[in-house]
Amino acid sequence: MSFEYAPAPESRAITTIKPKYGHFIGGKFVAGSKHFPTINPATEEVLSQIALAGKTEVDAAVKAARKAYTSTWSKTSGKERGKYLFRIARILQERAREFAVLETLDNGKPIRESRDTDIPLAAAHFFYHAGWADKLEYAGLGSSPKPLGVAGQIIPWNFPLLMLAWKVAPALATGNTVVLKPAESTSLTALLFAEVCQQAELPAGVVNIVTGDGTTGALIVNHPGIDKIAFTGSTEVGKIIARSVAPTKKSVTLELGGKGANIVFEDAAIDETVEGIIDGIFFNQGHVCCAGSRLLLQENIAEEVLHKLKKRMEKIRVGDPMDKNTDVGAINSKEQLTKIVELAKVGDAEGGQRWSPACELPKKGYWFAPTIFTGVTSAHRIAREEIFGPVLSVLTFRTPQEAIEKANNTPFGLSAGVWGEKGSRTLWAAQQLRAGVIWTNSFNKFDPTSPFGGYKESGWGREGGRHGLAAYLKGVSGE
Ligand code: NDP
């Protein structure tokens, strides 16, 4: 028996979106000169006008961050810094619903995910790093670890507040000040976070937020007043940044793309594995750098897994992100939708067999049905390139060794998953996989205590955990 779901829309009344925003510099909101619209990708409604920072604004933000670093933050004890971080974490919890609604409106992700994953994890990152602020000398990173200075932080649109937390919390805990640029299409929660900084009475200039596009990001990267660059985004831009900072003394951490292998051995618990496959690729519309976008099935169970996977996919609810029953929301932008559509066409042309469940997509906004491609080989572009959408490429293997060879046959190395009952084999596989994060019998589980980052073209350095602290301290490597 199946039940129809009644609509369960979350109200947007809790959030107030201003018609126009400026930048947050030196503890105050300052007006921008040029603006561009930010839209709700589920409806194409213009939500607000976002300021585009140029050289003047970036200079002002770096100056404010330097002043705050020299005069205040570098002289503030770890215990005091920790208090501010705890305060920010508690305010994020208190205002969690407001943040979740705003994130969903601006990003298109389902409210269920922003409410249950993004915002609680963002608060958890501040709590975790608050705990470290007065214990840095016990982190095994030297007896008197010192901050780097001013950190320039550039974040993507897939987890806007969460990526802000991943960057701002460790920087502040270790005594650095920051200039952060959110992604062009998702600036609203970063601007609300600026209000949280004011509410927490964080000293002026410790956190500065400038909004804008890639040109603003490049101004931050190339600014001589910046000591460290922390970037999350595409491998393409990561390479540009690496080239720009190479002749300078700037420290850099890059968290880039991925093409995660999700390996299923013949002894895996199939029903649980199917849930893990769904989580691995359809969570956040597949806009996840560590998504399990390459499914590797042992040949003798492939038919059964695919049968169950398709049945499960028929139950995925795609639609209004503000509906609490929605599983898959809108694609974040028209550009991203175009990229997904084009790569899916390449999958067809290369001979992959495309399948999607019957689902009616909304007329307005940017949508792509959950999709799998079978008959894919390692040479296909959809097995090699990051699609960054709800598209799963399915490959098969016969022996564990073949699974590892196929899984590692990628320019990336961010994440992987292994499913199987036999512990010795899953642990063996985890050791062989060349990826920064490996889940066994689970996927897409995140925790601030656990370092996250990649090998090869997936980036440099780690974020989270003790290793993530190292990336903001002098003389210790981020790896
Ligand atoms: P980008 O890498 O272009 O964007 C990430 C951030 O960097 C944004 O804030 C962006 O600003 C900024 N930026 C862009 N160009 C520069 C530059 N030259 N110097 C400094 N900063 C810059 O990713 P996109 O949003 O364009 O997405 C493109 C593809 O990247 C996606 O299709 C996906 O495959 C991948 N991606 C991967 C992510 C990951 O976590 N691994 C996250 C996001 C995207 P702006 O928003 O204005 O462009």
Side-chain angles (χ1 to χ4, degrees):
M1 189 166 36
S2 68
F3 295 93
E4 279 305 310
Y5 285 76
E10 173 70 62
S11 162
R12 61 192 279 178
I14 194 159
T15 181
T16 312
I17 303 177
K18 295 178 192 138
K20 197 187 243 191
Y21 286 87
H23 309 286
F24 183 64
I25 298 174
K28 294 193 196 90
F29 284 94
V30 297
S33 43
K34 286 189 201 152
H35 288 81
F36 59 89
T38 189
I39 63 154
N40 177 344
T43 59
E44 297 175 52
E45 169 200 357
V46 174
L47 295 171
S48 184
Q49 298 292 325
I50 303 296
L52 178 79
K55 189 172 179 314
T56 314
E57 289 91 348
V58 171
D59 277 346
V62 174
K63 210 168 154 197
R66 177 63 57 193
K67 188 168 167 227
Y69 177 72
T70 315
S71 63
T72 319
W73 204 240
S74 61
K75 295 183 182 145
T76 305
S77 68
K79 194 171 163 199
E80 285 304 309
R81 292 200 306 271
K83 283 186 196 167
Y84 285 109
L85 288 168
F86 275 123
R87 215 180 277 170
I88 290 171
R90 281 195 298 268
I91 298 171
L92 287 178
Q93 285 188 320
E94 280 160 19
R95 300 180 69 173
R97 191 148 161 245
E98 187 183 351
F99 270 102
V101 168
L102 193 60
E103 198 76 295
T104 286
L105 290 172
D106 203 19
N107 172 281
K109 64 173 69 201
I111 187 74
R112 190 167 61 78
E113 288 180 4
S114 49
R115 182 195 63 194
D116 298 348
T117 306
D118 293 60
I119 313 303
L121 268 177
H125 269 266
F126 279 96
F127 276 119
Y128 173 73
H129 286 95
W132 268 122
D134 63 346
K135 301 174 197 69
L136 294 175
E137 60 268 42
Y138 310 112
L141 304 168
S143 58
S144 178
K146 296 275 180 296
L148 296 167
V150 177
Q153 308 186 318
I154 298 161
I155 56 173
W157 43 262
N158 52 345
F159 293 95
L161 186 74
L162 184 57
M163 288 301 103
L164 175 150
W166 278 30
K167 302 250 178 305
V168 173
L172 267 48
T174 47
N176 299 272
T177 58
V178 312
V179 175
L180 176 128
K181 188 197 90 66
E184 193 178 339
S185 61
T186 54
S187 301
L188 291 180
T189 48
L191 292 162
L192 187 59
F193 179 80
E195 284 181 28
V196 169
C197 294
Q198 287 182 324
Q199 198 181 338
E201 295 175 9
L202 189 70
V206 171
V207 169
N208 303 276
I209 296 174
V210 288
T211 51
D213 60 13
T215 59
T216 312
L219 285 167
I220 296 175
V221 168
N222 295 311
H223 201 290
I226 296 271
D227 301 300
K228 186 224 157 67
I229 293 293
F231 171 80
T232 299
S234 61
T235 296
E236 192 191 345
V237 174
K239 285 180 181 174
I240 296 174
I241 293 177
R243 278 195 288 271
S244 308
V245 300
T248 73
K249 284 189 177 159
K250 288 173 192 160
S251 300
V252 63
T253 38
L254 303 172
E255 201 268 272
L256 310 175
K259 192 75 192 176
N262 205 359
I263 302 173
V264 185
F265 287 119
E266 58 192 352
D267 60 338
I270 304 287
D271 291 342
E272 287 81 349
T273 305
V274 166
E275 285 307 312
I277 297 168
I278 295 276
D279 256 357
I281 185 64
F282 301 124
F283 170 60
N284 202 34
Q285 295 71 245
H287 300 328
V288 183
C289 47
C290 54
S293 51
R294 273 187 306 151
L295 180 63
L296 294 177
L297 297 175
Q298 193 146 10
E299 206 171 85
N300 53 339
I301 54 158
E303 203 175 314
E304 184 187 357
V305 174
L306 285 171
H307 174 72
K308 289 194 168 176
L309 180 62
K310 287 178 179 174
K311 278 204 103 58
R312 176 65 181 79
M313 282 173 68
E314 280 165 357
K315 300 254 183 292
I316 293 177
R317 298 172 61 83
V318 185
D320 181 8
M322 288 289 274
D323 191 312
K324 290 170 214 158
N325 292 322
T326 293
D327 300 311
V328 171
I331 300 303
N332 180 253
S333 65
K334 199 173 176 183
E335 294 73 39
Q336 188 59 28
L337 179 59
T338 307
K339 187 184 160 195
I340 298 168
V341 169
E342 279 172 6
L343 269 171
K345 278 189 195 152
V346 171
D348 295 329
E350 287 181 329
Q353 283 98 55
R354 187 200 289 229
W355 183 88
S356 293
C359 67
E360 205 179 312
L361 300 177
K363 298 275 172 294
K364 277 215 118 182
Y366 313 126
W367 304 92
F368 198 88
T371 298
I372 58 174
F373 274 95
T374 49
V376 177
T377 74
S378 298
H380 287 167
R381 272 181 67 193
I382 55 166
R384 307 193 64 77
E385 291 179 30
E386 188 176 44
I387 300 177
F388 224 62
V391 182
L392 179 66
S393 302
V394 185
L395 296 87
T396 56
F397 65 89
R398 287 186 186 162
T399 64
Q401 194 57 45
E402 186 189 346
I404 300 299
E405 274 172 28
K406 284 188 167 164
N408 286 339
N409 183 6
T410 165
F412 298 111
L414 192 54
S415 72
V418 187
W419 297 82
E421 198 184 28
K422 196 171 175 196
S424 57
R425 183 161 53 196
T426 51
L427 289 175
W428 168 84
Q431 278 176 339
Q432 307 301 310
L433 289 166
R434 189 86 179 128
V437 183
I438 295 156
W439 290 285
T440 56
N441 293 318
S442 65
F443 211 96
N444 272 342
K445 301 284 176 225
F446 303 98
D447 190 297
T449 64
S450 178
F452 185 95
Y455 291 103
K456 301 193 276 185
E457 294 203 3
S458 291
W460 294 343
R462 297 291 177 265
E463 292 187 303
R466 208 173 54 80
H467 303 69
L469 296 172
Y472 285 93
L473 293 169
K474 268 190 190 139
V476 277
S477 155
E479 283 276 347

